[in-house]
Structures are given as structure tokens and as C-alpha cells.
């Protein structure tokens, strides 16, 4: 499947869907604090194991960096 | 638009500022200077000497509540601005009670966990409400990496990579760049409405 992740095209061979959490793991995003959105809709932390990402989806995984 | 037209457009507008550290204090001052009608500012911290390398406070304000000191500084710049200050540590509930009526909310926390809390709360509970966050501003130099990213009603200002550390502290120039970028985005939202 092909998705847009953080405004860039990412392709995953031999996969039709994966959960948001699986995508985070696959991308090696080890950051503790993230905000995730699929097609513009917020996917809360506790929903990441259940919400699936499909071909053509627009996914945002925002890294929450300390400092301010 | 002339400055008078801008001020007219900003009359009646309210901006919520979550945190009065490096991002919040500088962003609030920029918005006060251009004449945003009302600022609702929340922070629980007091001014310390280590804050003065980037935050809009003065040496003689060390030990004061940040929300009180910031209100005083804003009043000294533009006494027409109404400042509603809250000396609290924000959580999901208070974010909603304090900021639900604001035209725009500025995320100005330092800790990543707090940033996550307000972003998830606003996106989930206040759909359509513009939220302007600051992510990544530690260190110095590398000016061109600081940018704006729009994700629906969430606006992200910063380089999205420079995390604070003992050997990569947040400093006035880059923190000020992001804080003023946040103020600039707020202005763009308010003036385009």
C-alpha cells in the first residue's frame, strides 16, 4: 500500500493495512510523545492499536519535542 | 490594511496562551503590541534567573508569578489590552474551561507531555478551533529549518527536531523566532477571518 506520511509518499510492499501503532513501529518512531492523525482526524494514543491505515490514506505523525 | 484597520479587525478578538515561558511570554507581547483585544494566559511557574536568557521577564521580577509579571509587562507596553491571567497548571478540563471561547489558542508549554495533552484535547473536544503549537527551537543557528506546517486546524511552528538538552539549551533568538512565528500565524488567522 501507498500512503502519505507527514506530506511524503511512503510505500509498504505486501501490506494492505496496518494499525497506526504498527506504522509507528515500522517507521522506528521511538519518540515517547506523538500526536497521530489519519485523514485529518485525530487518533488518540489509546486508539492507535485499533485504528487502521489503508492504501491512499493521509497520515500525520507529529513528534512532540520538549522546549518552549 | 492600515494599522488602524488591523486594530479594528482585532477588536473583540481573544487569544488563549497556554504557558508563559519562552514561547508564551514572547508571543503574548507580540500580540499585545499589535493590539489583540484580550489575552487569556495560564501558567503555574515563577520567574527564575535561568529563564531570562529567553523569556520576556526582567531581573527584578525573579521570584514573581509569571502570569503576574507578564501582565505587568504587557500593561507597560499596551495598557489597552485586557489580560486575564490564571495561576494554574493546565489540564484537559481547564484547557476547555479557559480557552473554549478563544478565537485562537497558542500552545506554549515546554514539556512534550503537556504539548500532547493540549493538542489532543483541542483537536478532540474543540473541532475547528485553531491551535498554534511550537515544536523544536533549541540551540542556535540553522534559521532556515524553522518553518510552519499546517495539519487542519493545527498549525506547527518550529524545526520539529531540536529538543532541549543540557548541551542544547533553548535561547532567546530561536525561541523568539518560533514565538513570533506563532504570533504571526495567530494574526494571519484573525485578520483573514
Amino acid at each position: 500500500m501507498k500512503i502519505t506520511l507527514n506530506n511524503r509518499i511512503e510505500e509498504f510492499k505486501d501490506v494492505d493495512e496496518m494499525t497506526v501503532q504498527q506504522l509507528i513501529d515500522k517507521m522506528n518512531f521511538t519518540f515517547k510523545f506523538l500526536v497521530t492523525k489519519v485523514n485529518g482526524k485525530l487518533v488518540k494514543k489509546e486508539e492507535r492499536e485499533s485504528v487502521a491505515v489503508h492504501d491512499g490514506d493521509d497520515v500525520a505523525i507529529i513528534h512532540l519535542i520538549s522546549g518552549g | 490594511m492600515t494599522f488602524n484597520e488591523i486594530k479594528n479587525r482585532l477588536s473583540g478578538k481573544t487569544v488563549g496562551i497556554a504557558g508563559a515561558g519562552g514561547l508564551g511570554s514572547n508571543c503574548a507581547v507580540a500580540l499585545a503590541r499589535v493590539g489583540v483585544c484580550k489575552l487569556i494566559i495560564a501558567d503555574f511557574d515563577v520567574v527564575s534567573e535561568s529563564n531570562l536568557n529567553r523569556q520576556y521577564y526582567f531581573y527584578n521580577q525573579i521570584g514573581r508569578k509569571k502570569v503576574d509579571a507578564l501582565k505587568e509587562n504587557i500593561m507597560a507596553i499596551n495598557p489597552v489590552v485586557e489580560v486575564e491571567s490564571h495561576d494554574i497548571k493546565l489540564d484537559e478540563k481547564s484547557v476547555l474551561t479557559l480557552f473554549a471561547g478563544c478565537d485562537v489558542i497558542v500552545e506554549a508549554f515546554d514539556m512534550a507531555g503537556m504539548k500532547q495533552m493540549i493538542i489532543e484535547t483541542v483537536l478532540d473536544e474543540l473541532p475547528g478551533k485553531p491551535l498554534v503549537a511550537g515544536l523544536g527551537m533549541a540551540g542556535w543557528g540553522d534559521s532556515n529549518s524553522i518553518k510552519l506546517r499546517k495539519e487542519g486546524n493545527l498549525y506547527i511552528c518550529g524545526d520539529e527536531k531540536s529538543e532541549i538538552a543540557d548541551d542544547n539549551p533553548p535561547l532567546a533568538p530561536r525561541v523568539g523566532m518560533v514565538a513570533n512565528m506563532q504570533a504571526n500565524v495567530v494574526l494571519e488567522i484573525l485578520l483573514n477571518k
Side-chain angles (χ1 to χ4, degrees):
Chain A
M1 68 174 190
K2 215 189 250 182
I3 63 167
T4 305
L5 174 61
N6 292 339
N7 299 317
R8 287 169 58 166
I9 303 287
E10 290 283 349
E11 199 167 351
F12 301 95
K13 293 230 158 66
D14 309 317
V15 191
D16 290 332
E17 70 163 51
M18 62 176 104
T19 67
V20 173
Q21 188 57 51
Q22 284 168 334
L23 175 62
I24 290 169
D25 297 341
K26 195 139 196 141
M27 295 305 296
N28 271 326
F29 289 159
T30 53
F31 229 71
K32 192 173 169 204
F33 296 105
L34 302 167
V35 166
T36 50
K37 293 174 87 176
V38 176
N39 298 325
K41 195 176 178 302
L42 174 72
V43 177
K44 288 206 254 185
K45 196 175 179 209
E46 57 273 20
E47 299 167 341
R48 287 182 199 150
E49 302 272 7
S50 55
V51 173
V53 176
H54 302 96
D55 187 59
D57 281 351
D58 182 11
V59 183
I61 300 178
I62 301 157
H63 288 62
L64 302 175
I65 298 154
S66 282
Chain B
M1 229 184 281
T2 65
F3 186 47
N4 272 334
E5 287 167 339
I6 290 167
K7 280 198 287 187
N8 285 338
R9 196 73 78 87
L10 295 178
S11 70
K13 300 291 187 201
T14 302
V15 177
I17 299 180
L23 293 176
S25 63
N26 286 294
C27 184
V29 164
L31 294 173
R33 285 189 194 276
V34 291
V36 169
C37 177
K38 183 176 177 183
L39 300 172
I40 301 177
I41 304 170
D43 197 294
F44 65 94
D45 206 3
V46 295
V47 179
S48 69
E49 191 172 350
S50 65
N51 298 149
L52 299 180
N53 64 2
R54 65 191 186 283
Q55 305 188 15
Y56 210 108
Y57 300 106
F58 298 96
Y59 195 85
N60 65 4
Q61 291 177 320
I62 290 170
R64 303 263 313 276
K65 286 279 177 197
K66 284 187 180 176
V67 285
D68 295 340
L70 185 54
K71 184 174 182 172
E72 188 176 286
N73 296 343
I74 289 170
M75 288 299 106
I77 293 166
N78 186 357
V80 173
V81 178
E82 185 188 341
V83 178
E84 182 184 309
S85 54
H86 296 269
D87 174 24
I88 55 163
K89 185 166 197 258
L90 286 164
D91 57 16
E92 288 87 345
K93 211 176 146 203
S94 50
V95 161
L96 295 175
T97 40
L98 293 191
F99 300 139
C102 294
D103 295 287
V104 186
I105 302 170
V106 174
E107 177 283 309
F109 291 127
D110 52 353
M111 306 300 287
M114 292 292 281
K115 288 175 185 285
Q116 184 182 49
M117 181 279 289
I118 192 168
I119 293 173
E120 290 208 339
T121 303
V122 172
L123 264 49
D124 195 36
E125 306 274 348
L126 302 172
K129 181 78 67 189
L131 174 66
V132 185
L135 292 175
M137 79 278 321
W140 60 93
D142 200 13
S143 298
N144 281 343
S145 64
I146 292 175
K147 60 196 186 308
L148 171 67
R149 169 179 173 194
K150 188 175 184 298
E151 289 288 344
N153 292 303
L154 173 65
Y155 300 77
I156 299 163
C157 302
D159 67 17
E160 292 193 56
K161 64 181 184 194
S162 305
E163 189 152 42
I164 50 164
D166 286 341
D167 58 357
N168 199 33
L171 297 169
R174 283 186 116 242
V175 173
M177 282 169 78
V178 173
N180 282 287
M181 193 172 192
Q182 288 180 288
N184 198 30
V185 172
V186 170
L187 211 55
E188 193 173 19
I189 294 166
L190 294 179
L191 295 179
N192 289 347
K193 259 188 182 172

